[in-house]
């Protein structure tokens, strides 16, 4: 019996593997910071054996409250991931009990989204004549920071910015972007066609590829939490934010969405902008209209549960969506998805997963179109005709 994690997003520390009924593990910290909660590893040679895996330092994880009601995910083929019912948090330890059916099984905190899949996603997107793929620059470790731009720079088109995975362990965020891009680039989808005709969408599928490959929970390779870097990004320690923010200054921003996952709350919700200095009545009306449209587009989304006011305190304007709301004065929201399940529409087999995140991403096109159509004035017919002819 062996445990390995020397692969893309792999992360675990093995303390003892002598007894299948008492496997002792530790959650590994981010490479340059103390955050720990993400895990992803492969266990081999244990088909049919009753396993009891104990994560000894679960109580000191970044969001220990998130273990309550959490169920580990597992896969035999790395394509189909399921939840392990025998998961519980007890006396400060996360305990996972499972009898694997095969000799090779992968366990993870949430369904992974590999860097190879990221590269496939942006390459697939670039095949569309509607897409321009750009490398904004390099990350701390020299990886490409990819920007997918959909739609041209014709006058009057609203610039829409969507970024994902500032926190690399929140893999549901890139699953969301995959679903959004697939629908947005569908030549037969009428919502996508109309949106492409009226807006230019700038999409960063993975803000933190270094952290993603390393198996970090929240930070980049330099140990920076990118979603606390927006007020004054360091071009050396947080080039990912520095580069994206500079491009946003060039293009302008009429709508901003920052896609995340929340370890604790079993809901899909927005973190909104009411606390941002300069938040106006007009901004409140536009934000409410966007939220209403998303409620209509997806029953997975709700507005009852979410973050309490004052959560971010003095850090407020270091967060992406809060800085953008203050700087550009546009609708600017952080979307949170659960690591566990959606309590409104639970799925016992898979909980919240990649496929559900993709569907939510596809549904986001509807409120984006409503926002763009409400706030923009250009006539669409000629733009749609031009796209059809090209």
């Amino acid at each position: 019996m062996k445990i390995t994690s020397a692969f893309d997003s792999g992360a675990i520390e093995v303390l003892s593997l002598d007894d299948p009924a008492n496997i002792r593990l530790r959650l590994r910290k981010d490479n340059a910071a103390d955050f720990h909660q993400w895990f992803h590893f492969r266990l081999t040679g244990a088909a049919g054996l009753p396993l009891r895996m104990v994560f000894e330092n679960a109580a000191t994880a970044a969001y220990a409250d998130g273990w309550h009601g959490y169920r580990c995910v597992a896969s035999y083929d790395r394509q189909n991931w399921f939840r392990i019912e025998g998961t519980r948090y007890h006396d400060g330890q996360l305990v996972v009990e499972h009898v694997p059916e095969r000799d090779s099984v992968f366990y993870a905190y949430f369904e992974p989204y590999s860097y190879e899949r990221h590269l496939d996603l942006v390459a697939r997107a670039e095949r569309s004549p509607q897409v321009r793929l750009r490398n904004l620059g390099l990350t701390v470790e020299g990886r490409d920071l990819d920007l997918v731009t959909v739609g041209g720079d014709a006058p009057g088109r609203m610039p829409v910015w969507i970024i994902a995975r500032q926190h690399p362990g929140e893999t549901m965020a890139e699953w969301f972007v995959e679903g959004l891009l697939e629908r947005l680039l569908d030549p037969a989808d009428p919502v996508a066609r109309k949106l492409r005709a009226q807006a230019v969408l700038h999409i960063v599928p993975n803000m933190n590829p270094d952290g993603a490959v390393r198996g970090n929970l929240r930070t980049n390779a330099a140990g920076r939490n990118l979603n606390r870097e927006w007020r004054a990004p360091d071009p050396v320690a947080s080039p990912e934010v520095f580069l994206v923010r500079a491009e946003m200054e060039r293009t302008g921003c009429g709508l901003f969405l920052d896609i995340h996952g929340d370890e604790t709350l079993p809901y899909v919700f927005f973190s909104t902008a009411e606390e941002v200095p300069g938040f106006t009545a007009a901004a409140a009306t536009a934000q409410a209209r966007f939220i209403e449209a998303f409620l209509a587009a997806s029953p997975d989304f709700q507005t009852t549960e979410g973050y309490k006011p004052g959560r971010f305190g003095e850090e407020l304007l270091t967060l992406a969506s809060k800085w953008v709301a203050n700087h550009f004065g546009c609708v600017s929201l952080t979307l949170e998805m659960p690591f566990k399940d959606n309590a409104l529409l639970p799925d016992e087999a898979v909980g919240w997963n990649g496929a559900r995140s993709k569907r939510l991403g596809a549904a986001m096109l509807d409120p984006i179109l409503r926002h763009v159509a409400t706030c923009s004035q250009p006539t669409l017919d000629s733009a749609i005709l031009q796209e059809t002819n090209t």
Side-chain angles (χ1 to χ4, degrees):
M1 189 170 60
K2 296 180 180 178
I3 287 178
T4 55
S5 60
F7 46 77
D8 184 337
S9 80
I12 198 64
E13 293 178 4
V14 181
L15 302 179
S16 174
L17 198 55
D18 298 331
D19 181 0
N22 189 29
I23 298 170
R24 314 301 291 191
L25 306 170
R26 284 182 61 85
L27 300 166
R28 199 209 66 198
K29 294 180 179 180
D30 287 8
N31 72 289
D34 287 336
F35 296 109
H36 57 281
Q37 192 139 359
W38 174 263
F39 60 89
H40 181 199
F41 59 90
R42 181 189 187 198
L43 190 148
T44 55
L49 294 178
L51 303 179
R52 184 175 183 270
M53 298 176 284
V54 180
F55 298 76
E56 293 188 351
N57 63 337
T60 60
Y63 299 95
D65 287 345
W67 298 125
H68 298 286
Y70 167 78
R71 291 179 295 153
C72 177
V73 301
S75 176
Y76 298 112
D77 60 6
R78 300 197 303 158
Q79 302 297 317
N80 301 287
W81 294 81
F82 56 90
R83 297 279 175 166
I84 297 177
E85 195 62 37
T87 306
R88 67 183 187 278
Y89 182 56
H90 180 70
D91 288 342
Q93 297 179 329
L94 181 71
V95 179
V96 178
E97 295 179 327
H98 182 227
V99 181
E101 298 175 3
R102 303 174 192 172
D103 270 319
S104 176
V105 56
F106 290 81
Y107 298 99
Y109 183 39
F110 190 83
E111 185 173 354
Y113 196 103
S114 71
Y115 188 58
E116 284 298 310
R117 190 177 186 109
H118 163 80
L119 294 176
D120 287 342
L121 174 65
V122 296
R124 191 165 64 248
E126 196 186 18
R127 293 205 300 262
S128 168
Q130 308 302 323
V131 167
R132 180 188 178 197
L133 178 61
R134 293 177 55 205
N135 176 355
L136 290 180
L138 300 180
T139 65
V140 171
E141 293 188 317
R143 293 184 176 88
D144 298 327
L145 188 62
D146 293 309
L147 174 66
V148 178
T149 297
V150 182
D153 292 325
R157 291 191 180 187
M158 176 182 289
V160 175
W161 275 85
I162 302 167
I163 69 170
R165 217 168 167 190
Q166 290 200 81
H167 299 145
E170 297 168 12
T171 57
M172 63 284 290
E174 195 158 7
W175 285 109
F176 174 101
V177 169
E178 182 174 307
L180 182 145
L181 275 173
E182 286 180 356
R183 185 183 181 194
L184 181 60
L185 299 178
D186 183 348
D189 189 293
V191 172
R193 291 186 65 198
K194 202 166 186 179
L195 183 55
R196 293 194 305 265
Q198 196 169 3
V200 52
L201 293 94
H202 304 284
I203 302 166
V204 184
N206 188 346
M207 285 284 295
N208 196 342
D210 292 349
V213 171
R214 283 182 168 274
N216 287 352
L217 176 74
R218 286 183 70 78
T219 60
N220 71 354
R224 295 296 183 94
N225 176 351
L226 296 185
N227 203 28
R228 298 298 186 274
E229 294 287 308
W230 282 75
R231 183 157 50 194
D234 185 327
V236 175
S238 52
E240 301 89 349
V241 175
F242 181 86
L243 293 164
V244 170
R245 209 184 81 155
E247 183 65 11
M248 290 182 69
E249 293 277 17
R250 188 189 71 81
T251 65
C253 185
L255 171 67
F256 179 80
L257 300 172
D258 185 15
I259 313 303
H260 285 259
D262 184 85
E263 290 82 357
T264 303
L265 296 175
Y267 301 98
V268 176
F269 61 96
F270 279 133
S271 175
T272 53
E274 289 88 349
E275 295 177 89
V276 172
F279 188 74
T280 64
T285 298
Q287 176 180 275
R289 186 169 55 233
F290 189 93
I291 292 171
E292 177 187 18
F294 196 33
L295 280 169
S298 177
D300 270 323
F301 174 64
Q302 56 80 53
T303 59
T304 303
E305 301 292 337
Y307 294 148
K308 304 302 181 186
R311 172 186 176 94
F312 300 110
E314 294 181 358
E315 291 184 320
L316 187 69
L317 293 184
T318 68
L319 277 71
S321 68
K322 315 310 179 191
W323 180 85
V324 170
N326 178 256
H327 188 74
F328 290 101
C330 64
V331 171
S332 182
L333 299 161
T334 301
L335 178 74
E336 299 282 356
M337 292 173 282
F339 272 87
K340 298 186 245 190
D341 200 350
N342 185 349
L344 297 181
L345 294 168
D347 186 319
E348 290 300 318
V350 299
W352 190 261
N353 69 348
R356 296 177 74 180
S357 303
K358 285 184 64 173
R359 293 188 189 98
L360 192 71
M364 185 62 81
L365 262 62
D366 294 277
I368 294 175
L369 176 59
R370 180 177 176 185
H371 176 80
V372 171
T374 301
C375 299
S376 301
Q377 299 303 319
T379 302
L380 298 182
D381 294 343
S382 61
I384 294 174
L385 181 61
Q386 181 182 3
E387 178 184 317
T388 301
N389 291 337
T390 56

